[in-house]
Amino acid sequence: MKILAIESSCDETSAAVVEGRIVLSNIIATQIAEHRIYGGVVPEIASRRHTEAISHVCDEALKQAGITYSDIDAVAVTFAPGLIGALLVGVNFAKGLALSLGVPLIPVHHLRSHIAANYIAHPDLEPPFLCLLVSGGNTVLAEVTDYTSFKIIGGTRDDAAGECFDKTARCLGLEYPGGVTLDKIATVADFKKYPLPYPKSGGGEYDFSFSGLKTAVINTVHNARQKGEEIDIPVLCATIRERVCDMLIDNTFKAAESLRYKKIAVAGGVSANSELRCRMDTECKKRGFELFYPPLKYCGDNAAMVGAQAIFEYESGNMAGTELNATATLPIDYR
Ligand code: KG4
């Protein structure tokens, strides 16, 4: 079954042709350069750029897959969560396309598709497994009990991990997207120089909290500026990254051990973080867990992962008609 998948939840317009776990094409038109001027995503600009790019991106996805619109068996689209105006562009385009081709329309939850990026890279990966989902807008620890069945056991009580990276990076004057730049710059490990707090959530057993760390970094930078002191940016970045990774890794292993999971997956944009990947690798080997994470090209937003999840949604009967609407917030375990 050949699925044309469409993604437009934030600042990448993407279309892919996917057959099961095989990606026949994956086209991404990124808006990063334009949003960089503003230090973050401007929703109105994002929607406009999606509108301009979407039909070209779909045409190119079909061309690279070596097929035409008449070869498509279904259209899949990210419908939630994300920027509402941005999502609406993809949803409306997908609705029109599915209707005109007379093929099923499959709505896909954005976080479910981030998890499915792992299915592309690891053809043998099957639920159940525990997943740490870390992106710019979400930080969730979820049990993936089946391909379309999820149980949230922890989540952030304030900022997402990616947001913490992006906001602290912006405060340090680093280029957007801050998480990527911070990861590259964080080369010097001297964790005593900046005594940043270890984030504590005070909530559920597996919950996260990153806003205290973010505030501590902002205060550190402001204090130094007021005193005319220079900030050691590589050291501060390494300390921020270490604190964020500590919290993500501690909670993940606490949950995996007490819930007796053998397999752990990491997904979402922050799964590209070099320290997170390296430490998860080491810890999993030491503690006897099997670890899965997507290759770097599938960590950020892309339509291939939407197509990879779509087949499971289709098989479980999750299809939509022209009534489908975009939704800005929706938990991964929605029914
Ligand atoms: O999953 P994603 O592409 O978009 C959302 O669905 O949110 O995630 C984007 C987030 C941004 O916060 C970005 O700074 C972060 O992922 N990110 C990273 C790295 N690469 C991307 N954060 C830390 N280290 C990285 N290497």
Side-chain angles (χ1 to χ4, degrees), residues 9-10 12 110-111 114 134-138 161-163 165-166 177-180 183 268-274 299-301:
S9 66
C10 190
E12 330 275 0
H110 183 56
L111 297 186
H114 268 304
V134 267
S135 71
N138 296 274
E163 196 180 341
F165 280 135
D166 291 344
V180 183
D183 191 24
V270 179
S271 68
N273 186 266
S274 59
C299 286
D301 293 343

Side-chain angles (χ1 to χ4, degrees), residues 174-249:
L174 305 183
E175 191 172 65
Y176 170 84
V180 183
T181 317
L182 186 146
D183 191 24
K184 279 190 199 137
I185 289 179
T187 47
V188 186
D190 169 4
F191 301 127
K192 293 209 175 89
K193 187 160 185 176
Y194 295 106
L196 297 177
Y198 282 90
K200 286 196 193 72
S201 79
E205 198 178 355
Y206 307 123
D207 280 348
F208 306 92
S209 166
F210 298 102
S211 67
L213 174 62
K214 181 182 73 179
T215 307
V217 174
I218 292 169
N219 288 342
T220 301
V221 173
H222 286 170
N223 279 341
R225 281 191 187 136
Q226 277 162 4
K227 290 179 194 159
E229 289 169 5
E230 205 157 305
I231 291 280
D232 189 337
I233 292 182
V235 170
L236 185 53
C237 286
T239 313
I240 298 166
R241 188 177 63 179
E242 196 242 7
R243 296 292 194 273
V244 171
C245 288
D246 277 347
M247 177 157 238
L248 295 175
I249 292 169

Side-chain angles (χ1 to χ4, degrees), residues 25-102:
S25 64
N26 185 36
I27 307 298
I28 304 173
T30 182
Q31 307 170 2
I32 283 181
E34 191 164 1
H35 296 294
R36 185 168 282 150
I37 308 164
Y38 306 98
V41 178
V42 182
E44 177 62 22
I45 294 177
S47 311
R48 286 169 189 268
R49 296 298 167 260
H50 286 310
T51 309
E52 287 161 8
I54 196 151
S55 58
H56 305 295
V57 165
C58 288
D59 288 349
E60 192 55 31
L62 293 173
K63 194 170 149 202
Q64 288 206 8
I67 59 169
T68 65
Y69 280 101
S70 58
D71 298 315
I72 292 299
D73 299 304
V75 176
V77 65
T78 307
F79 77 105
L83 299 174
I84 192 66
L87 285 167
L88 276 168
V89 176
V91 166
N92 284 317
F93 190 87
K95 282 202 286 194
L97 197 56
L99 193 66
S100 65
L101 295 175

